[in-house]
Amino acid sequence: MMMTPVADRRYRHLRDLRISITDRCNLRCRYCMPREHFGPGHHYLDPADLLTFDEIARLARVFASLGVRKIRLTGGEPLLRRGVVDLVALLAAVPGLDLAMTTNGLLLPAFAKRLAEAGLRRVTVSLDALDDAVFRALADTAVPVRRVLDGIDAATRAGLTPVKVNMVVKRGVNDGCVLPMVERFRGSGHILRFIEYMDVGATNEWQLGEVLPAAEIVRLIDDRYPLEPLGATDVGEVATRYRFRDGAGEIGVIGSVTRPFCGDCTRARLSAEGKVHTCLFSSGGTDLRALLRAGASDEELRSAIRALWGAREDRYSELRGRRTPSRGDRVEMSYIGG
């Protein structure tokens, strides 16, 4: 059943849904799940607290009836969720949905072909450096970069293209890796995207001085490989796009800190335990799992989502520069995806 798309108080329509399917990950990236907070003593969600695949698929259909056209599966690391291929098949059966996934790529060699056959369209792979020492320090892992590159190759062979490669850039840590990343992925058919280091959650000890602004990233690349701007491909697109003047492909820059894009943000986030968050920087969510398990009808679910989105006024990134951000009990990125 198709419904009239719902708009928030700033006239932004609900078009995109990011679904976290697990709070677990096989890396300990310093900006997302630092080991001192997510170590052996950390309490993860109990399996019974996670939305079941049938519950996720039902909510996907409800969101689609309210205008959502893109769903991205995230985590934690989504490929750690047992039976993930079955979930992809359930979601791929929802009419009119564009289905993608964000992953660290380590498990893609084992999953890429089956994911594509189940109906996944594309993947975005996180990779913050090509230098093993820098990568291992940032991801707090003994895993080599080659494992991630093997995952990208597997996704390419499976047709999950174009593969987007996301690099979070932290000044003084991996900013020296920007040009090597460009040189590795230019002409590959993949789309490299640079993300300003953001103040997500309460555990990564974010400091503004650690942000390498989007404009500096673009200048750095343009000095070596001349760029020209590209227009957005869709409403709510988060990356500012550029193409290489020599025709060797394109890059994107996501400047949440210095170039806020709150004004046309169309994304809702569904956590692994069924809470809807209307902003990446939120401190609380609306519990849909409770409604599901209390026997709510689809119309009751639609009404709850419509009311939540209709009251939405979020614009954290626009306001960040006007005040000192309060971290408080802000939800961690590992719970609602990046």
Side-chain angles (χ1 to χ4, degrees):
M1 182 170 79
M2 184 61 197
M3 306 288 289
T4 302
V6 59
D8 68 10
R9 292 185 177 181
R10 297 174 64 82
Y11 308 105
R12 297 168 295 188
H13 288 94
L14 175 58
R15 294 169 54 92
D16 303 87
L17 178 63
R18 300 192 175 187
I19 303 177
S20 173
I21 62 173
T22 179
D23 61 333
R24 298 172 186 266
C25 190
N26 45 3
L27 296 179
R28 285 295 174 270
C29 296
R30 299 297 308 162
Y31 55 80
C32 182
M33 295 182 72
R35 194 175 298 275
E36 60 268 28
H37 295 283
F38 295 89
H42 178 71
H43 177 70
Y44 292 96
L45 293 169
D46 292 327
D49 292 332
L50 300 176
L51 290 177
T52 68
F53 289 171
D54 285 340
E55 288 171 333
I56 292 172
R58 184 181 173 200
L59 287 176
R61 290 192 294 270
V62 170
F63 273 96
S65 75
L66 291 169
V68 163
R69 288 293 167 264
K70 295 180 182 178
I71 284 183
R72 177 172 295 277
L73 297 178
T74 72
E77 170 48 50
L79 294 180
L80 290 178
R81 180 79 184 262
R82 188 183 300 273
V84 62
V85 174
D86 296 330
L87 173 60
V88 168
L90 285 174
L91 295 175
V94 180
L97 283 182
D98 182 20
L99 185 59
M101 177 184 288
T102 294
T103 170
N104 61 34
L106 298 181
L107 298 176
L108 277 175
F111 280 96
K113 185 174 185 293
R114 287 186 290 152
L115 290 169
E117 290 172 346
L120 192 70
R121 299 279 299 278
R122 291 179 312 284
V123 292
T124 295
V125 177
S126 301
L127 177 61
D128 298 325
L130 289 172
D131 179 273
D132 270 328
V134 178
F135 172 76
R136 285 169 166 164
L138 270 168
D140 194 3
T141 181
V143 172
V145 171
R146 182 69 255 169
R147 288 272 305 279
V148 182
L149 296 177
D150 287 345
I152 293 172
D153 291 343
T156 303
R157 290 192 299 270
L160 297 171
T161 55
V163 176
K164 292 180 180 177
V165 180
N166 279 356
M167 176 184 180
V168 174
V169 184
K170 190 173 180 181
R171 187 189 290 277
V173 177
N174 66 335
D175 46 348
C177 301
V178 169
L179 286 178
M181 287 282 283
V182 170
E183 288 155 3
R184 170 63 177 77
F185 290 106
R186 260 174 48 88
S188 67
H190 307 319
I191 300 173
L192 181 59
R193 305 196 306 176
F194 300 94
I195 303 174
E196 291 179 344
Y197 176 44
M198 294 182 289
D199 50 330
V200 178
T203 62
N204 67 6
E205 300 179 354
W206 179 88
Q207 298 292 326
L208 182 59
E210 296 170 322
V211 176
L212 187 68
E216 288 191 35
I217 295 172
V218 172
R219 282 197 298 270
L220 176 65
I221 299 168
D222 184 58
D223 283 347
R224 179 75 63 86
Y225 301 104
L227 299 168
E228 59 186 10
L230 286 170
T233 58
D234 203 357
V235 174
E237 187 170 82
V238 299
T240 303
R241 301 168 59 226
Y242 299 86
R243 65 183 169 201
F244 296 106
R245 290 182 182 272
D246 63 3
E250 71 173 79
I251 63 165
V253 183
I254 301 173
S256 175
V257 178
T258 65
R259 296 178 179 175
F261 39 81
C262 302
D264 60 359
C265 177
T266 60
R267 290 169 297 286
R269 290 173 166 82
L270 180 65
S271 70
E273 78 274 37
K275 292 182 179 179
V276 177
H277 297 260
T278 57
C279 180
L280 178 60
F281 304 97
S282 67
S283 58
T286 298
D287 190 357
L288 293 185
R289 185 189 66 191
L291 289 175
L292 282 166
R293 296 183 182 179
S297 67
D298 285 359
E299 185 51 46
E300 287 170 328
L301 291 169
R302 266 191 291 272
S303 294
I305 296 166
R306 191 183 294 112
L308 173 64
W309 192 266
R312 177 184 186 241
E313 295 185 294
D314 301 304
R315 55 190 188 110
Y316 174 85
S317 291
E318 287 182 353
L319 298 174
R320 180 195 284 111
R322 306 178 195 177
R323 54 175 169 75
T324 301
S326 174
R327 303 184 73 75
D329 60 349
R330 192 184 306 158
V331 67
E332 295 296 335
M333 185 161 55
S334 56
Y335 285 91
I336 59 172

